[in-house]
Amino acid sequence: MAKQPDDDGRKLIARNKRARYRYEVLEKVQAGLVLRGSEVKSLRAGRVALADAFARFRGDELFLVNCHIATYDEASYNNHEPTRSRKLLLTKRELKKIRERIDQRGFTIVPLSLYFTRGLAKVELGVCRGKATHDRRESLKKREAEREMRRSYR
């Protein structure tokens, strides 16, 4: 089941924790999703995995690839394919801006979270650069140090 709304009216469905570990997020963009009815029902039940998902341009349009939305059992023959590509809804200006960033070497578009806003499914995309192994270790050490500081203040 989806969680309760946040302060800004979002109902969080899923968060991509692996993306924040593997990538350095440089820019965030909110995009709508083109979904079928059974996909929306599965999202409301929280049956989605963003771990291996990414966004890719096909022509002038942006698609979410490898996002696994589980089939909805009650949908019978109207069910969807779990890992199909889903079109992302962005303005032409946003698409152009993202395309310019992606054309630079080493950048990728990764979904950071999936949520409902006023009943509409949205995905938060991050324009990211991959972290090297030593950067990952460094961020883990920094997080552990912050935890220790918070514990010592208590």
Side-chain angles (χ1 to χ4, degrees):
M1 197 70 192
K3 296 179 183 175
Q4 294 299 316
D6 292 340
D7 298 346
D8 53 356
R10 293 180 178 182
K11 281 187 182 178
L12 184 66
I13 302 167
R15 181 173 282 136
N16 192 352
K17 293 179 183 178
R18 189 178 292 178
R20 302 223 185 245
Y21 174 71
R22 289 186 174 175
Y23 300 100
E24 175 187 355
V25 180
L26 303 172
E27 186 179 332
K28 293 180 185 178
V29 179
Q30 175 179 303
L33 284 164
V34 176
L35 298 172
R36 298 183 66 192
S38 59
E39 291 174 326
V40 175
K41 292 280 193 175
S42 285
L43 287 180
R44 291 199 186 283
R47 299 180 61 199
V48 62
L50 292 174
D52 298 326
F54 61 94
R56 172 177 285 163
F57 278 97
R58 288 192 197 145
D60 291 336
E61 298 177 335
L62 191 61
F63 286 84
L64 186 63
V65 183
N66 271 354
C67 176
H68 186 277
I69 299 176
T71 55
Y72 187 63
D73 296 333
E74 287 77 25
S76 68
Y77 68 91
N78 287 328
N79 239 326
H80 61 277
E81 184 182 329
T83 57
R84 76 178 184 91
S85 296
R86 294 164 182 92
K87 185 177 176 181
L88 295 170
L89 303 173
L90 293 161
T91 63
K92 287 183 182 181
R93 184 182 303 152
E94 289 173 326
L95 286 170
K96 184 179 176 186
K97 187 177 176 184
I98 292 172
R99 171 73 67 133
E100 289 172 357
R101 292 297 295 262
I102 296 304
D103 287 343
Q104 298 174 14
R105 188 169 171 238
F107 289 97
T108 188
I109 309 167
V110 179
L112 302 175
S113 61
L114 194 59
Y115 52 88
F116 283 109
T117 301
R118 291 180 277 155
L120 301 173
K122 304 282 185 178
V123 63
E124 183 178 41
L125 300 171
V127 178
C128 304
R129 179 186 302 136
K131 285 184 183 177
T133 307
H134 64 275
D135 292 334
R136 293 182 195 169
R137 290 183 190 138
E138 199 172 293
S139 56
L140 283 175
K141 288 177 187 176
K142 190 182 295 184
R143 194 172 13 178
E144 284 295 321
E146 288 173 4
R147 282 184 190 156
E148 288 298 322
M149 286 175 50
R150 276 187 263 140
R151 285 183 191 150
S152 65
Y153 285 136
R154 290 182 195 166

